[in-house]
Amino acid sequence: MKVCRQSFCWLATLLVFLCQTSFAQQQQTINGTVLDATTRQALPGVTVSVKGANAGAVTNANGEFSVRTTHKLPLTLVFSFVGYSPQEQTVTDASTSVNVQLSSTEILGQEVVVSANRTTQSALESPVSIEKIDSRAIKAMPAPTFYDALANMKGVELSTQSLTFKSVNSRGFNSNGNTRMLQLIDGMDNQAPGLNFSVGNIVGITELDMDNVEVLPGAASALYGPNALNGIVLLNSKSPFQYQGLSAIVKSGILSESGRNKGTTGYYDVAVRYAKAFNDKFAFKVNLGYIKADDWQAYDDRDQSLLNGYDLKTGNRSNPGYNGVNLYGDETNVNMFQALKPTAFTPGNPLSNGIAALSAATGGLITPQQIYGAFMPDSAKTFVSRTGYNERDLADYDTKNLKANVALHYKINPNLELLAQGSYGTGTTVYTGADRYSIKNFRMGQYKIELRADNFYVRAYTTQERSGDSYAVGTLGAGINEAWSPSREKWFPEYFGTYATQGLTTFSTAFQQALGSGQNPQQAFATAAAAAKGGAAGFHDAARKYADRERLMPGSKGFEDAANKVKDKPIPGDASGVGAKFMDKTNLYQGEFMYNFKNQISFMELMVGGNYRVYALNSEKTIFAVDDNGDEFRIHEYGGYVQVGKRLLEENLKLSAALRYDKNENFEGQFSPRLSAVYTFLKTHNIRASFQTGFRIPHTQDQYIDLLTPQARLLGGLPFLRERYGLNGPNVFSLESIQAGAPKPYTFREFKPEKVEAFELGYKALISGKLLIDAYAYTNTFKNFNGSQVLVKVTATGQEVYSIPVNYEKDLKSWGWALGLDYRLPANFTVGGNVSYNKLRNEDELGGFQAMYNTPRYRYNLNFGNRNVSQSNFGFNISWRWQEAFVWSSSFVGPLVRVNNLGEIPAYGALDAQVSYLFPKPKVTLKIGGANITGKQYIQSWGNPTVGTQAYASIGYNL
């Protein structure tokens, strides 16, 4: 509480100072009119903003505007409107009316971005690679949602885990639920603080309220702090001052993919936005969005056990050790040959008695061991697994997502704005981690208050996650199996007993018949052994049929009752049964500020900023470790940065440097420097070079998880947890050393945050106002890369298995390049494309370490379109995206598949297209489109759903 009071006092003092600074500046009003350059008619709804400031206005029905600002004259007004070329007008006298005419056209390379330096600048002059989709592009994109359209950006890839949950990545090390890519929504970190990653756009911005998306691939920690290791995604909503009125969109269509329970199903997407500015002081906006569909389904039934001589191509359910990729409950396997040995040679049970009797009948010429080996298959081919359940019988594919947002804006003066904003999302989707998770009735809210001007902001916000009825699908399958027939106590003994009885009976009968036909014992043994071996498949079938005789069938009342019990019990369960429910109510709290000294310092740019963050862990003591008082932990972090910039050589050379320091209470402080240079020549040609660092503090689960699963106890990497479970002793070995037959005591290294050192060289130019070129090459060196280590602790009563995060002791090195070309054809047609290349340079030097690079070397996008063909209000857009095959590695991949790098994701290409027509007077837009309209099915990561065709039609008002 003392820290909170001190922080509040500090923020209050800063607010007073900043308010006084803003009030002290003189206010002036600029009036004017905006017309269409062709028709000379007034243009309502044009955004008029002061360049480099937060002040702005929107033209009324007569095309008139009034901008109040404290900016000193001369200043520049920026006029922008969907379908029209942006225009700038210099104002030297506030008393003179400003009259502007806008031309309808397609223009390239004129985007303004903020993510590169946390300040407004031309995208052409960005010191690092950056991609942007503005509100005009969002309306014209040939994708069902703007989030899907991110896949068309240069060097950006998506991992589709469900219709509404996609993870964004760039430059390698892709993953589901990517913790190395930072996503900010209106400046707020959008990660679910217990899950540790952004849950797509489930709690985000609706299409109607989306102003622009900026993606900065590559390290960005110098300005954005922890977790911006591979880049950032900035999603920015519309201001209620600049975008007013009622707008709505209704979208409906179909999802079609032949492998689903029902190949073609409908989906529905509705959004409404209302914004109102009562005057130039107060405005508000309200957003609602709802999506509902039958989700894509994951049904890969390939056998990833690689047991009993089968592989991914030949494995099927006839393999007794079968483990289907998207089947659950069949992961656990037991070697029947080894399991039955004690029974076979321990006197007093039917099996050993039968074997002993046969041996005695030969006068001891055939030993019990020989008989046992005769009717049992080879030890390497007797692995048996439980009968699993299909994912579609366990997961909730009734996908839905409700988003709501309310924001209140008050302009204290034209250049000082106070706002309060709340965003809430709830829904059901599916996510892939170490398991497949049915994120059911998940809820998350983000709430902030912010004071901002053109040269500073101060904000405080909280992100609050509630896991609802979420559960682990794989654990559910195992739990249902355990409910009707416990593996150790019943199912495996029944399976093995049935097999042994059938095998021994067959062997005995054939042996007696062979002896009766005149064969000697050795000949009879060979004959009987051949009969037993030949009947092995039938013995397995009979054993499984008997062990599964009480199996609960999907759809039955018994199945549903058992499933509900498992889903209602928190992971991992207790003595009464397995639990699959994911419990999390973790909150994140953050305060931050930024101040730009542009009004005080003219000879250079100077910016400072900082933040303070608290994670309040709350899994109701099911997932996270507890302290000595039995309470879950809080994690405190803070950081600050300074950035300076200077223009030289007649302002053609822009140099900038930034330095950030961050401290997490569990780790040493981290310095993150960045140096960059941009040289402009011939006005629109820019060469850029940068060196920057990024880092990722181990997330909340990597620090504090303490969860017992059927495979291992998952532990955080902090030292106190190793001590708590006695992992620092000589009786703890790596799993690899045990498998190699040479157990070696494991020695822990210090657990550190990941780091990356990145170099980038780029070129961006606009040639003749028609050809936009953007190219870059980069190298990355990752240090202390975070991976998982399986440890085996040998005790007097057996073995305990642990999985714990550790740092890889060597560097990981990657490099890549990308090229983007866009060309404006006559009549405002545009054509473009991009290609990117990414490669892990020292992959051959890693030994057995699983780097999980998970990125295709080559991927490309092509596009062609026109937003307004010949001023006819008709528009279209077509895009083709392709990526080559690559190997996916993650904890969800079967262990032997992962170790042998067999988890290939096939190459695929997808064609997206849309056509639209605008009815100007009623302000209605009709749009018809489709994603992957060729219908070629694909997956984007191992175990994820198969994606088919998504077709849609929409009607929008006042877009």
Side-chain angles (χ1 to χ4, degrees):
M1 290 300 294
K2 182 178 180 181
V3 172
C4 293
R5 288 195 297 270
Q6 290 174 342
S7 299
F8 177 81
C9 294
W10 174 81
L11 284 171
T13 303
L14 183 61
L15 285 172
V16 172
F17 166 74
L18 295 173
C19 290
Q20 290 175 342
T21 302
S22 299
F23 274 121
Q25 302 179 46
Q26 187 177 0
Q27 181 176 301
Q28 49 201 342
T29 303
I30 303 170
N31 300 305
T33 305
V34 182
L35 304 177
D36 184 297
T38 302
T39 65
R40 297 296 191 274
Q41 293 183 349
L43 282 178
V46 176
T47 299
V48 185
S49 58
V50 178
K51 189 173 183 179
N54 203 32
V58 177
T59 57
N60 61 20
N62 300 318
E64 301 168 339
F65 68 89
S66 180
V67 174
R68 301 175 67 185
T69 181
T70 58
H71 238 54
K72 296 179 181 178
L73 296 177
L75 55 78
T76 301
L77 293 180
V78 180
F79 299 84
S80 60
F81 192 48
V82 174
Y84 288 78
S85 300
Q87 187 169 323
E88 296 185 0
Q89 182 76 37
T90 301
V91 178
T92 58
D93 184 357
S95 63
T96 302
S97 179
V98 178
N99 299 309
V100 173
Q101 297 181 8
L102 297 184
S103 299
S104 177
T105 186
E106 183 71 38
I107 196 76
L108 298 175
Q110 302 302 307
E111 295 96 341
V112 173
V113 297
V114 297
S115 60
N117 273 336
R118 279 192 179 266
T119 186
T120 303
Q121 66 181 140
S122 166
L124 283 173
E125 299 178 2
S126 169
V128 293
S129 179
I130 192 168
E131 304 291 319
K132 181 172 182 176
I133 302 178
D134 61 17
S135 58
R136 294 176 300 170
I138 290 172
K139 295 178 181 65
M141 62 191 179
T145 70
F146 72 86
Y147 214 83
D148 294 294
L150 298 181
N152 296 323
M153 288 181 165
K154 179 171 69 273
V156 176
E157 56 191 298
L158 294 183
S159 172
T160 299
Q161 296 150 78
S162 72
L163 178 69
T164 56
F165 191 178
K166 301 173 176 68
S167 295
V168 185
N169 187 69
S170 67
R171 301 190 179 180
F173 303 105
N174 192 11
S175 65
N176 298 310
N178 196 340
T179 59
R180 295 184 174 94
M181 197 88 176
L182 182 64
Q183 180 169 293
L184 302 178
I185 294 185
D186 287 336
M188 296 182 287
D189 188 342
N190 192 233
Q191 67 165 296
L195 292 173
N196 311 126
F197 50 80
S198 300
V199 285
N201 195 41
I202 292 176
V203 186
I205 304 175
T206 66
E207 180 179 330
L208 295 175
D209 198 37
M210 180 58 67
D211 186 55
N212 63 79
V213 183
E214 294 182 19
V215 176
L216 198 162
S221 291
L223 296 182
Y224 292 94
N227 307 330
L229 195 74
N230 273 23
I232 57 172
V233 180
L234 279 81
L235 295 89
N236 303 301
S237 66
K238 295 176 179 177
S239 165
F241 285 106
Q242 296 181 343
Y243 296 87
Q244 296 187 45
L246 175 69
S247 54
I249 187 169
V250 177
K251 186 183 301 181
S252 183
I254 60 170
L255 303 181
S256 180
E257 196 278 304
S258 59
R260 303 195 302 160
N261 284 353
K262 186 176 181 181
T264 301
T265 57
Y267 89 95
Y268 313 93
D269 185 352
V270 180
V272 179
R273 179 183 188 271
Y274 182 73
K276 172 72 173 177
F278 294 99
N279 47 46
D280 58 1
K281 289 283 189 182
F282 178 68
F284 77 95
K285 66 178 179 180
V286 177
N287 288 279
L288 286 173
Y290 184 72
I291 297 174
K292 179 175 174 57
D294 290 330
D295 211 334
W296 303 121
Q297 296 184 4
Y299 54 82
D300 187 347
D301 62 357
R302 288 179 297 169
D303 181 6
Q304 63 176 347
S305 72
L306 306 190
L307 295 175
N308 301 331
Y310 291 85
D311 58 31
L312 280 168
K313 293 182 179 180
T314 62
N316 53 54
R317 298 186 193 226
S318 63
N319 175 13
Y322 174 83
N323 175 16
V325 176
N326 291 123
L327 285 90
Y328 310 107
D330 58 0
E331 297 82 10
T332 302
N333 59 74
V334 176
N335 188 297
M336 182 171 61
F337 187 95
Q338 300 297 335
L340 274 179
K341 256 189 175 182
T343 304
F345 305 120
T346 302
N349 62 73
L351 178 60
S352 63
N353 291 342
I355 293 174
L358 279 175
S359 177
T362 68
L365 293 175
I366 309 298
T367 67
Q369 287 76 12
Q370 289 175 306
I371 296 172
Y372 180 70
F375 72 82
M376 290 292 290
D378 182 82
S379 176
K381 296 184 177 181
T382 59
F383 288 94
V384 174
S385 64
R386 293 290 302 259
T387 306
Y389 291 96
N390 294 317
E391 179 175 304
R392 63 187 64 185
D393 295 322
L394 301 172
D396 190 337
Y397 286 141
D398 184 17
T399 289
K400 46 184 166 291
N401 178 212
L402 172 66
K403 289 192 284 281
N405 167 271
V406 177
L408 305 175
H409 293 240
Y410 180 73
K411 288 194 174 182
I412 300 171
N413 66 43
N415 193 41
L416 185 64
E417 185 176 2
L418 178 66
L419 67 93
Q421 176 179 320
S423 298
Y424 176 82
T426 182
T428 296
T429 186
V430 185
Y431 149 69
T432 310
D435 199 338
R436 284 277 281 172
Y437 292 89
S438 194
I439 308 298
K440 185 176 181 180
N441 299 327
F442 175 86
R443 306 185 302 277
M444 195 169 92
Q446 291 197 285
Y447 313 98
K448 78 167 179 177
I449 184 169
E450 180 174 354
L451 180 69
R452 65 189 183 191
D454 67 321
N455 63 326
F456 79 89
Y457 70 78
V458 179
R459 70 171 67 105
Y461 68 88
T462 178
T463 303
Q464 306 200 350
E465 172 192 350
R466 301 295 181 266
S467 55
D469 300 313
S470 302
Y471 58 91
V473 176
T475 305
L476 173 61
I480 294 173
N481 268 340
E482 296 301 316
W484 67 266
S485 183
S487 295
R488 289 178 178 272
E489 295 80 8
K490 184 178 180 184
W491 195 90
F492 281 114
E494 288 185 344
Y495 188 110
F496 298 160
T498 303
Y499 185 98
T501 299
Q502 298 239 348
L504 182 58
T505 300
T506 298
F507 178 88
S508 178
T509 301
F511 184 76
Q512 296 297 338
Q513 290 175 347
L515 286 176
S517 66
Q519 294 183 9
N520 62 39
Q522 286 80 6
Q523 292 172 329
F525 173 81
T527 300
K533 299 288 187 184
F539 305 157
H540 277 297
D541 289 343
R544 186 171 297 275
K545 183 177 181 180
Y546 180 77
D548 276 350
R549 67 192 184 282
E550 298 174 351
R551 183 170 182 259
L552 298 176
M553 301 305 294
S556 68
K557 183 178 184 303
F559 178 90
E560 295 300 325
D561 289 344
N564 289 333
K565 287 182 180 179
V566 177
K567 287 189 286 188
D568 289 341
K569 190 185 296 293
I571 292 176
D574 51 34
S576 66
V578 175
K581 187 172 185 178
F582 183 83
M583 301 283 292
D584 193 49
K585 299 178 180 179
T586 296
N587 296 336
L588 179 150
Y589 303 93
Q590 176 148 323
E592 61 181 54
F593 78 96
M594 182 278 290
Y595 192 88
N596 189 326
F597 288 88
K598 63 181 182 179
N599 295 330
Q600 290 79 26
I601 300 175
S602 59
F603 67 91
M604 71 170 188
E605 296 177 3
L606 175 62
M607 180 190 303
V608 298
N611 71 279
Y612 188 84
R613 169 177 291 192
V614 177
Y615 292 92
L617 305 183
N618 181 4
S619 65
E620 297 189 359
K621 304 179 183 180
T622 63
I623 299 173
F624 297 112
V626 296
D627 61 21
D628 293 338
N629 297 320
D631 299 321
E632 293 183 73
F633 289 84
R634 289 189 168 226
I635 307 173
H636 298 261
E637 297 178 1
Y638 64 87
Y641 63 90
V642 57
Q643 176 175 270
V644 295
K646 178 69 176 177
R647 288 189 176 272
L648 303 170
L649 303 180
E650 298 180 346
E651 297 199 346
N652 289 322
L653 177 63
K654 171 68 179 295
L655 301 177
S656 62
L659 179 65
R660 183 181 179 100
Y661 176 79
D662 286 272
K663 181 69 174 72
N664 176 289
E665 64 176 300
N666 294 321
F667 302 94
E668 292 184 356
Q670 304 293 315
F671 284 99
S672 303
R674 184 178 87 166
L675 302 173
S676 65
V678 181
Y679 181 71
T680 303
F681 61 99
L682 300 178
K683 294 184 178 180
T684 61
H685 295 255
N686 299 272
I687 296 176
R688 64 182 185 268
S690 67
F691 165 76
Q692 53 188 327
T693 57
F695 71 97
R696 182 175 76 96
I697 293 175
H699 53 64
T700 56
Q701 291 188 27
D702 273 352
Q703 291 184 54
Y704 285 106
I705 193 170
D706 185 354
L707 177 63
L708 181 63
T709 71
Q711 291 77 31
R713 179 176 287 276
L714 309 181
L715 283 185
L718 296 180
F720 85 93
L721 281 169
R722 307 175 201 163
E723 296 171 2
R724 180 173 291 182
Y725 287 94
L727 300 184
N728 293 320
N731 60 331
V732 176
F733 310 92
S734 69
L735 179 62
E736 296 85 352
S737 69
I738 291 178
Q739 290 177 331
K744 181 180 178 181
Y746 187 81
T747 302
F748 284 96
R749 301 169 64 241
E750 182 182 356
F751 190 41
K752 298 179 179 180
E754 291 180 347
K755 279 188 173 183
V756 63
E757 296 176 350
F759 293 88
E760 181 180 316
L761 183 66
Y763 169 72
K764 196 166 189 175
L766 180 62
I767 300 175
S768 301
K770 294 183 177 181
L771 176 63
L772 180 65
I773 304 173
D774 188 7
Y776 67 76
Y778 73 90
T779 65
N780 283 342
T781 300
F782 290 86
K783 299 179 181 296
N784 304 322
F785 197 83
N786 196 337
S788 61
Q789 176 65 57
V790 178
L791 300 175
V792 178
K793 179 182 177 183
V794 179
T795 68
T797 57
Q799 295 181 345
E800 299 172 359
V801 181
Y802 297 84
S803 179
I804 189 167
V806 298
N807 298 124
Y808 183 54
E809 59 185 6
K810 299 179 181 179
D811 292 346
L812 295 179
K813 300 177 181 180
S814 65
W815 80 285
W817 55 266
L819 172 65
L821 300 173
D822 292 282
Y823 189 76
R824 181 165 63 89
L825 298 166
N828 293 327
F829 286 88
T830 61
V831 62
N834 59 71
V835 59
S836 59
Y837 175 89
N838 300 280
K839 181 175 175 57
L840 189 61
R841 287 191 295 159
N842 62 336
E843 185 174 11
D844 296 337
E845 304 171 6
L846 303 183
F849 180 76
Q850 299 293 309
M852 302 185 184
Y853 193 63
N854 297 345
T855 299
R857 286 183 303 167
Y858 288 99
R859 55 190 318 277
Y860 68 81
N861 301 279
L862 302 173
N863 62 81
F864 174 66
N866 191 323
R867 291 173 181 160
N868 193 0
V869 180
S870 301
Q871 310 299 314
S872 65
N873 297 321
F874 168 77
F876 75 95
N877 213 320
I878 302 171
S879 72
W880 169 259
R881 47 196 167 88
W882 178 90
Q883 68 179 43
E884 73 171 355
F886 67 100
V887 173
W888 185 276
S889 180
S890 73
S891 55
F892 186 77
V893 181
L896 294 177
V897 173
R898 183 170 69 245
V899 169
N900 291 284
N901 294 317
L902 299 176
E904 183 178 274
I905 305 302
Y908 77 89
L911 180 67
D912 304 340
Q914 67 86 12
V915 294
S916 63
Y917 188 81
L918 170 66
F919 296 90
K921 288 188 177 179
K923 302 180 181 180
V924 171
T925 301
L926 298 180
K927 185 175 180 180
I928 299 175
N932 191 24
I933 58 178
T934 60
K936 185 177 180 180
Q937 303 162 348
Y938 64 87
I939 62 171
Q940 292 181 310
S941 56
W942 188 267
N944 274 357
T946 301
V947 179
T949 297
Q950 184 175 1
Y952 57 90
S954 69
I955 179 169
Y957 170 73
N958 196 24
L959 301 184

